[in-house]
Amino acid sequence: MPEKSIRQAINEALAQEMRRDPRVVVIGEDVAGGAATEGERDCAGGVLGVTKGLFAEFGDARVIDTPITESAIMGAAAGAAATGLRPVAELMFCDFLGVCFDQIFNQAAKFRYMFGGKARTPLVIRTMIGAGRGSAAQHSQSLYHIFTSVPGLKCVVPSNAYDAKGLLIEAIRDDDPVVFCEHKLMYDLKCEVPDEPYRIPFGEAAVVREGEDVSIVALSRMVHYSLEAAETLAREGIECEIIDPRTTSPLDEEGILESVEHTGRLVIVDEATPRCGLAVDIAALVADKAFAALKAPPKRVTAPFTPVPFAPSLEKLYIPSPERIAGAVREVVRYRR
Amino acid sequence: MTDPSTGSPITALTMPKWGLVMSEGKIVAWKKREGESVAAGEEILEIETTKITNVVETPQSGTLRRIVAPEGATLPVGALLAVIAQRSASDPEIDAFVAGFKAPEVAEEGAAAAEAGPRAIEAGGRRLSYFELGQGAGTPLLFLHGFGADLNSWMFLQPALAEGRRAIALDLPGHGGSSKEVGAGDAASLAEAAEGALEALGIESVHLVGHSLGGAVAVLVARRRPDKVRSLNLIASAGLGPEINAAFIDGFIRASRRREAQEALSLLVHDPALLSRRMVEDVLRYKRLDGVSAALEKIAAEWFPNGVQRVGIAEVAANLPMPVQIIWGREDRIIPVSHAERLASRLPVHILEGVGHLPHMEKAQEVAALLKAFIAA
Amino acid sequence: MQLSRDTLLKAYRQMSTIRHFEERVQEEFAKGGIPGFVHLYAGEEASAVGTCLHLSPQDYIASTHRGHGHSIAKGCDVERMMLEIFGRKEGLCGGKGGSMHIADLGQGMLGANGIVGGAPPLAVGAALSAKTLGKGTVAVAFTGDGGSSQGTTFEALNLAVVLRLPVIFVFENNEYGESTGWRYHVGSGDIAARAAGFGLPAVKVNGDDFFAVHEAAGEAIARAREGKGPSAIEIETVRFFGHHSGDAQRYRSREAVVKLRGERDCIKNFRTRVTEASLLEKSDLDGIDDEVASLIDRAVAQARAAPPPEDGALLTDVYVSY
């Protein structure tokens, strides 16, 4: 089976869905690029080239470059979704949520409920998350916990190319608004990805690694850091089970609980800030529903409660590391009442 | 390698490679202890694979002198698992053997083919995927898998059967890497596809091995082309009676999540603990592909409408001109073993105890031996 | 343009329905039984009706917090609207939306909107659907003098021009953003001119005059249907009630309101105009008023007696699929 990067997997999912369904459009800033310049059209294909080539195949009616206008992009995509299109709208960096949140959480997310179940809003918002690229405080956050907290939104946080393609196709075919969070440092990460379209259901965690001693629940880039930590720990005789929820809303509660019941220990790894986030949410879930299975208190490994710093040395400290993850695992394994 | 002082062999037991995708395996349990005598062919340990837990047989009689890989360890294909030698070999000699052991760079014959992975042919205007191992003058062998399965079903048997012959595992239409367009999806159309594959692969003469739905397809191919088919080996075959477990068929088609798939797949084997998580995941990966659900629904509607087998070819199978043997698991929960028992007076029938619907995986070594012997006869 | 007798009758019936509906909601609100709060549209009827008469159910509108008038003009069922405002199970939104979220997608009504400036981007999206799918339909964004200062509105105007979308921005300038006068909060003092700055044709019309509104909206909508892009209309209008029902309105006197009702009533103006020109008889109009009054009576009686949503409705319809 061919190996593809996350960038290729997302591009392929978009192209295949656009071929399958003429209602699917891509809209956002520089999704093609080069309009009204002396240079070439489709010179960008998204700031990191994820939508490159779609313009050539589908043209400007379906690959729609917009002004720098996040509120209008999100609102127009929501309005279009409620009236017959299936837009994939790009919110370049999730940090830009600040200038368009109303259109997402007050409008798109609430149509169906407010309108008594009559609206369908098949909207996908693709957005970049993650620190580690020296992009500083306003271009590096991982804000999926905000999307996750809004009833009416679904939130996808893939960690590999196979999942990215299957979950994006599922998102496009889903009739609800879905926020699809792509880590900006992971686009070149490759794995085997079928050429055919396929869908991965939401709310189904992946067991990335099986182990007996500790359950690690991790998202996005933290899945890979957790795997690194697990390799180190295996040499020490500690076997980690790594659970990647893949979607934070809906959340595969059963899958997480099943693993914790098996291992009795839980470490949650989240690149986002610690307050009111996924780590808290999952820790609360386990405390509530699997307390009896726990041999140690759940441990959270997150970013500190600070904005993302710029200096590379500080940024490195900000992001949870395999060493910190391994340290947390050792702590829960050693814990004695 | 031999022990230089005694001339008696010191044998490395290494992680086997089964099938296409296996790169590593996990030691589930040793069935022999260090210091115990072992006879060639005896079961020595269990290894978890991408499908189910399989047993490894002792390659060489002697004493299990050293277990290198502990239970629970996951090791790459070719890695040293244990050392078998005579009692006369000294401990330092064994130590030196272990220390000096180097996993072969390229695993034995067939590695190149395995590297290349499955290939595809066009047959009847449809893309069919297949995986080929082996070469030589022996009559080629074609494996036909069951409903919802694929060519990887044969991962344990294919290397063993590929000695001196081409051994080809085919993906039936709608399955594995083959086109998800299944045409009518009925008995005739699947048999035509298999026949087309023989044509496209340039095979004039063939032994057929079919499991479940693939068994019925094999019978139909043999009926259509008695000139080509040298022997027919039917494992828990469809088509030999009306009963089939509708709960499995429906559950398998419906399953989109891990727990549902696990529930359906556990019906396939006598001991569900043998199923690996990876096997469940691989089934889900297949089922998620666009077109698969429709293909499976169509095939199921044609073959098993209302939970009853529509294709009834027991008489055909019993009257074919070439040798036919039947292999079944006593505990089969998909197609009852009575279908085999009814034919026992007319055909050679082997019923394996403690085995469910997947004898070729649950008791791969036994099934391989039965196939080899029947084909050789 | 001379309107047909049928069109005139339809226009009057809609305006009369809105007026009766709003006067009655005010009364019922005061009596108690309507939860929350309501923003009433009485006085602005010519704007909604003059615009929506040009639209079919396939065209979309996106509305404001003051959305009853737009909903009625766009064809929403009046009895089910009343049920909704009372929070009833059989309401247009199952009692889960209320006055500020009345919507009927089947009638092209994309929803009243609790967020000032929330709707214009949505209407741009409906226009994007129309253009991309080649539907030949248009979308209208209603907003007010208050909404004219929201960033979302500016962004919507620009995106509509950039993508040349079949959308019409209707700014209903009723002179107050809540309790603040529009001459204070619209810095330039000219909403139409500000819209024009985005590069689209923008006109200002007298909202007391149904015929002026109808003509301006007709031109803008025809332009959009012909693929010539967006337009804006500033409608100078008045609201007879406060910002919301129960607003003490300390920002204007009782006398001023009485004067508005006397001098700037678009429905009265319509009656005078059509009867003086002998286009319709007074009896035609009175007959409509009677029918409308009994419709509203029925709607209120029914809404008061109707059951609330079942408790289970709390948890349904957050998602299409869970």
Side-chain angles (χ1 to χ4, degrees), chain A residues 209-214 216 229-230 233 238-242 329:
Chain A
R209 186 187 198 280
E210 288 180 88
E212 309 294 318
D213 300 320
V214 188
I216 301 179
L233 291 160
I238 301 172
E239 290 296 335
C240 300
E241 180 148 292
I242 301 178
V329 169

Side-chain angles (χ1 to χ4, degrees), chain A:
Chain A
M1 196 180 292
E3 290 221 327
K4 290 166 195 162
S5 67
I6 290 183
R7 177 186 288 103
Q8 289 170 310
I10 292 172
N11 186 283
E12 185 170 279
L14 290 169
Q16 288 178 338
E17 288 305 287
M18 291 178 83
R19 275 174 218 138
R20 189 185 63 82
D21 186 343
R23 298 169 301 174
V24 179
V25 300
V26 166
I27 182 167
E29 296 155 9
D30 283 320
V31 290
T37 65
E38 57 180 25
E40 55 179 311
R41 231 16 201 117
D42 200 25
C43 59
V47 278
L48 293 180
V50 177
T51 49
K52 184 100 179 152
L54 297 177
F55 182 85
E57 183 172 352
F58 302 102
D60 62 1
R62 294 182 63 200
V63 180
I64 303 165
D65 274 328
T66 65
I68 311 292
T69 187
E70 284 81 9
S71 264
I73 297 166
M74 294 303 135
T83 58
L85 287 179
R86 306 185 79 87
V88 180
E90 190 175 311
L91 177 60
M92 194 180 283
F93 292 87
C94 77
D95 315 64
F96 303 168
L97 179 61
V99 289
C100 61
F101 199 25
D102 179 69
Q103 295 294 323
I104 299 172
F105 95 112
N106 265 330
Q107 309 297 336
K110 293 187 172 50
F111 284 164
R112 187 165 182 81
Y113 197 83
M114 291 193 300
F115 302 165
K118 288 175 300 189
R120 280 170 192 265
T121 312
L123 162 66
V124 179
I125 299 169
R126 286 185 44 241
T127 191
M128 272 195 287
I129 59 167
R133 212 166 174 261
S135 310
Q138 298 172 340
H139 289 74
S140 302
Q141 297 170 86
S142 293
L143 299 175
Y144 38 75
H145 57 290
I146 296 181
F147 300 114
T148 305
S149 70
V150 178
L153 294 182
K154 293 176 179 173
C155 185
V156 181
V157 190
S159 69
N160 63 67
Y162 174 82
D163 287 350
K165 179 173 171 182
L167 290 166
L168 182 54
I169 290 177
E170 180 76 0
I172 292 170
R173 297 186 194 176
D174 196 286
D175 279 334
D176 294 309
V178 180
V179 183
F180 191 87
C181 300
E182 303 163 13
H183 199 293
K184 60 175 78 69
L185 265 77
M186 289 168 62
Y187 282 121
D188 292 318
L189 195 66
K190 286 190 172 181
C191 71
E192 287 191 345
V193 177
D195 291 331
E196 300 102 312
Y198 58 94
R199 347 171 30 163
I200 298 175
F202 292 163
E204 171 102 334
V207 181
V208 178
R209 186 187 198 280
E210 288 180 88
E212 309 294 318
D213 300 320
V214 188
S215 300
I216 301 179
V217 178
L219 291 161
S220 190
R221 191 164 179 231
M222 294 301 112
V223 172
H224 303 280
Y225 277 10
S226 300
L227 276 166
E228 265 184 56
E231 291 307 312
T232 306
L233 291 160
R235 289 193 287 275
E236 300 169 17
I238 301 172
E239 290 296 335
C240 300
E241 180 148 292
I242 301 178
I243 306 291
D244 173 2
R246 298 196 282 205
T247 61
T248 57
S249 181
L251 181 70
D252 185 357
E253 298 190 354
E254 209 181 315
I256 293 169
L257 294 170
E258 195 181 287
S259 177
V260 174
E261 273 155 16
H262 175 63
T263 63
R265 300 183 183 92
L266 173 65
V267 170
I268 311 146
V269 190
D270 186 0
E271 195 186 316
T273 44
R275 298 293 313 281
C276 303
L278 258 296
V280 172
D281 195 54
I282 291 166
L285 167 77
V286 169
D288 182 8
K289 297 192 174 158
F291 188 73
L294 286 172
K295 299 172 190 158
K299 193 96 199 146
R300 292 166 287 145
V301 181
T302 68
F305 193 54
T306 66
V308 182
F310 171 65
S313 58
L314 295 180
E315 191 182 31
K316 191 157 181 282
L317 287 174
Y318 176 91
I319 303 168
S321 63
E323 293 72 32
R324 275 179 60 203
I325 298 166
V329 169
R330 287 186 199 106
E331 222 177 296
V332 297
V333 169
R334 281 193 214 120
Y335 178 85
R336 296 286 176 273
R337 270 173 224 279

